């Protein structure tokens, strides 16, 4: 969703990104330029820009209204897998097939920091709400918390039995939720990395997990063709979202927390 909840952005294997009107499903704009499948697309905190990553060695920043290309961040031969804006919109953190996540200036594309320490590919990286920390999810079965400025590792979240597919902070920055190939999601204290709770029940890998805007719920997307809504504090299952006929790759709350969008 866009920050105001009025638009949705989708990324596709057809090498394009599309912006839709959330209420009606009307197509508003199409962003084309990547030379491979587009892996992720995310609005900036002010909703004015979108950052995309695709099956080519670039991350691209676009104007959300006009679709004009603003900046292009070029990597090496390894594709970018994800990109996320900092809360102030001035920086972008990217991940790829390699073991390092990188922080860039959003306007110039200048490299700010490299987050080194994972032993396998990094799937996702997300800023904390205050922008001072970054959490990464890796195929090495761990998530790690980093200092966003200096790139130092502050904590390592160990416990998943398989690859960690995603990791995100709670809205207050005190907790982190991780999703894993081991069919569970886990909630951790961001400070120190201690485990708080485990969300069990999916019949296949958990592709993504994210908090609601008020931090009280978590939505997970799974290879078992469902999404589920959980109580963040105790891990109690609140709702199961059924209807997709294939794996659900992602799920996210609307800014008011009243709706969930799923992609399959």
């Amino acid at each position: 969703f866009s920050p105001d909840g009025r638009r949705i952005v989708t990324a596709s294997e057809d090498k394009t990104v599309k912006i839709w009107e959330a209420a009606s499903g009307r197509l508003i704009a199409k962003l084309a330029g990547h030379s491979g499948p587009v892996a992720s697309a995310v609005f900036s905190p002010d909703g004015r820009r979108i950052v995309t990553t695709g099956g080519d060695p670039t991350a691209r920043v676009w104007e959300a209204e006009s679709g004009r290309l603003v900046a292009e961040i070029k990597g090496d031969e390894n594709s970018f897998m994800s990109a996320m804006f900092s809360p102030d919109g001035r920086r972008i953190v990217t991940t790829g097939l390699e073991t390092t996540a990188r922080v860039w200036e959003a306007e110039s594309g200048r490299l700010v920091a490299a987050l080194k320490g994972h032993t396998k590919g990094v799937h996702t990286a997300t800023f904390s709400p205050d922008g001072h920390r970054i959490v990464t999810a890796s195929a090495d079965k761990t998530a790690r918390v980093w200092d966003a400025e200096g790139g130092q590792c502050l904590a390592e979240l160990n416990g998943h039995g398989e690859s960690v597919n995603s990791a995100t902070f709670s809205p207050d920055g005190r907790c982190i939720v991780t999703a894993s190939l081991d069919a569970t999601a886990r909630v951790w204290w961001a400070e120190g990395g201690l485990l708080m709770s485990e969300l069990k029940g999916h019949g296949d890998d958990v592709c993504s997990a994210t908090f609601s805007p008020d931090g009280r719920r978590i939505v997970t997307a799974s290879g078992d063709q469902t999404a589920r809504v959980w109580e963040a504090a105790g891990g109690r299952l609140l709702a199961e979202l059924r209807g997709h006929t294939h794996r659900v790759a992602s799920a996210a709350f609307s800014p008011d927390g009243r709706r969930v969008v799923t992609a399959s």
Side-chain angles (χ1 to χ4, degrees):
F1 280 95
S2 60
D4 62 8
R6 297 172 63 184
R7 293 164 295 164
I8 290 169
V9 63
T10 56
S12 172
E13 291 187 358
D14 69 5
K15 305 179 184 179
T16 72
V17 171
K18 294 187 178 183
I19 304 169
W20 313 80
E21 191 174 66
S24 67
R26 180 176 65 89
L27 179 65
I28 298 172
K30 183 170 77 170
L31 313 180
H34 283 290
S35 60
V38 185
S40 72
V42 182
F43 280 97
S44 60
D46 62 8
R48 297 174 61 185
R49 291 170 296 164
I50 290 170
V51 62
T52 61
T53 59
D56 55 33
T58 68
R60 300 184 181 208
V61 182
W62 315 75
E63 283 186 352
E65 290 298 326
S66 67
R68 183 179 69 87
L69 183 65
V70 176
E72 187 176 18
I73 298 170
K74 295 184 178 180
D76 53 23
E77 68 278 4
N78 291 316
S79 302
F80 287 112
M81 293 182 67
S82 74
M84 187 71 67
F85 282 99
S86 60
D88 62 8
R90 298 173 60 185
R91 291 168 295 162
I92 290 170
V93 61
T94 62
T95 67
L97 299 176
E98 58 181 0
T99 60
T100 303
R102 290 182 167 86
V103 183
W104 315 79
E105 286 184 350
E107 293 297 328
S108 67
R110 184 181 69 87
L111 181 65
V112 176
L115 314 181
K116 297 182 178 181
H118 284 294
T119 58
K120 291 187 178 180
V122 183
H123 293 143
T124 65
T126 307
F127 282 93
S128 60
D130 62 9
H132 295 318
R133 294 164 297 163
I134 291 169
V135 62
T136 53
S138 171
D140 67 8
K141 304 179 185 179
T142 73
R144 297 189 183 206
V145 182
W146 311 80
D147 178 86
E149 292 295 330
Q152 299 93 346
C153 184
L154 304 176
E156 188 172 338
L157 313 182
N158 283 298
H160 282 295
E162 297 290 346
S163 172
V164 182
N165 294 325
S166 75
T168 57
F169 283 94
S170 59
D172 62 9
R174 298 177 61 191
C175 303
I176 289 168
V177 62
T178 55
S180 174
L181 197 64
D182 67 8
T184 71
R186 299 186 182 209
V187 183
W188 316 75
W189 289 111
E191 190 76 29
L194 293 177
L195 181 66
M196 292 177 60
S197 62
E198 191 173 11
L199 312 182
K200 291 183 176 180
H202 280 296
D204 207 331
D205 65 306
V206 182
C207 304
S208 72
T210 188
F211 284 93
S212 60
D214 63 7
R216 298 173 62 184
R217 291 162 295 161
I218 290 168
V219 63
T220 53
S222 173
D224 67 7
Q225 305 178 11
T226 73
R228 298 188 181 202
V229 182
W230 312 77
E231 188 179 63
R236 183 170 62 93
L237 180 64
L238 302 175
E240 189 171 11
L241 313 181
R242 290 186 172 272
H244 286 295
T245 58
H246 205 271
R247 63 187 293 108
V248 183
S250 71
F253 284 96
S254 59
D256 62 8
R258 297 174 62 186
R259 293 169 294 168
V260 169
V261 61
T262 55
S264 170

